[in-house]
Amino acid sequence: MCGRFAITLPNDAMAQLFAAAPANDLPAIPNYNVCPTTKIHVVFGEDGTRKLVPMRWGFIPQWYKKPNDGPLLINARAETIAEKPAFRAACRARRCLIPADGFYEWHRPEGGEKQPWFIRPADDGPMVFAGIWQDWEREGDRLRTCAMVTCAALGRMAEIHHRVPVVLSPDQWGKWLGEEGHGAATLMRSVEDTALQFHKVSKAVNSNRAEGPDLIAPL
């Protein structure tokens, strides 16, 4: 799974990268410790236009009577996303892009303590995760929510954790957003571990209140 990530790309540069119209209430940048249930940057299509907007990281199914009425759904497994009642409609019609610099994962060696790692693209470019989104509303309370799509990790990455977010290259963004017809399901596969670089980081990131660039610095 992916439960934390970092994002430092300025909002205007992000909007230019995705050719998306930016909202006025985007989250603060940089953020080296993006946590579930907070607002994150998301790109989606609406009325033929890409938009860069804030969404709550934590997908809320329509039947939840309140946001915490069930499990916190920050990830959706690629293998079952089209079948799960919570995700199947969004998988067909409400797909989105989630930009990041990289994400954190925790590895527990046998008999040892959990060690956080930071995983980022090998080419130092931005990392873009496949996501799904949904509006949730109850008694006038309305939230736009999202989850990341994950799949099985490969190679060296699998030695750190067995799951990894679905990472999309620029030539795949349009297909995932539904701008190029069908075929988005074929994109839900693991990125080759040669496309990633990873290093151990300080256990300071274990706290969801930790912040600052030192969190992603190699040990």
Side-chain angles (χ1 to χ4, degrees):
M1 64 176 293
C2 176
R4 290 297 177 80
F5 66 94
I7 177 73
T8 64
L9 191 64
N11 290 333
D12 55 349
M14 212 180 303
Q16 184 176 2
L17 175 67
F18 294 104
N24 294 324
D25 56 345
L26 291 169
I29 292 290
N31 187 345
Y32 293 91
N33 194 7
V34 182
C35 300
T37 75
T38 62
K39 295 290 183 69
I40 66 173
H41 294 77
V42 174
V43 176
F44 78 116
E46 186 175 59
D47 300 327
T49 302
R50 289 184 185 179
K51 296 185 177 181
L52 175 64
V53 302
M55 291 191 188
R56 176 192 188 266
W57 184 19
F59 192 95
I60 306 178
Q62 298 286 6
W63 58 84
Y64 278 25
K65 294 180 180 178
K66 52 187 178 180
N68 60 351
D69 203 28
L72 179 59
L73 305 176
I74 61 172
N75 295 157
R77 294 174 67 95
E79 298 88 343
T80 58
I81 191 172
E83 305 164 7
K84 291 287 186 180
F87 301 135
R88 59 192 178 199
C91 180
R92 289 193 301 269
R94 294 186 300 277
R95 298 187 297 271
C96 61
L97 308 174
I98 300 173
D101 285 29
F103 66 97
Y104 299 95
E105 197 52 83
W106 280 258
H107 171 65
R108 185 193 294 276
E110 187 173 350
E113 296 182 359
K114 282 187 175 181
Q115 171 63 53
W117 291 69
F118 188 64
I119 298 96
R120 62 189 303 172
D123 61 4
D124 289 324
M127 180 175 268
V128 178
F129 307 131
I132 55 173
W133 68 274
Q134 176 163 278
D135 285 335
W136 175 87
E137 186 170 5
R138 280 290 187 282
E139 299 177 353
D141 187 14
R142 187 172 185 267
L143 294 172
R144 183 156 280 180
T145 72
C146 65
M148 292 181 189
V149 182
T150 67
C151 59
L154 298 175
R156 294 178 302 151
M157 183 63 220
E159 297 175 9
I160 298 174
H161 197 272
H162 66 286
R163 304 293 295 178
V164 67
V166 171
V167 179
L168 301 174
S169 57
D171 63 308
Q172 297 172 327
W173 296 348
K175 179 170 283 190
W176 183 253
L177 291 176
E179 299 168 349
E180 300 171 9
H182 301 293
T186 63
L187 304 178
M188 291 191 289
R189 58 181 184 269
S190 180
V191 62
E192 294 292 335
D193 68 345
T194 54
L196 303 174
Q197 56 178 311
F198 26 84
H199 57 260
K200 295 177 182 179
V201 294
S202 168
K203 293 179 182 177
V205 76
N206 291 350
S207 169
N208 59 13
R209 291 187 290 272
E211 57 184 30
D214 289 347
L215 294 180
I216 66 171
L219 281 183

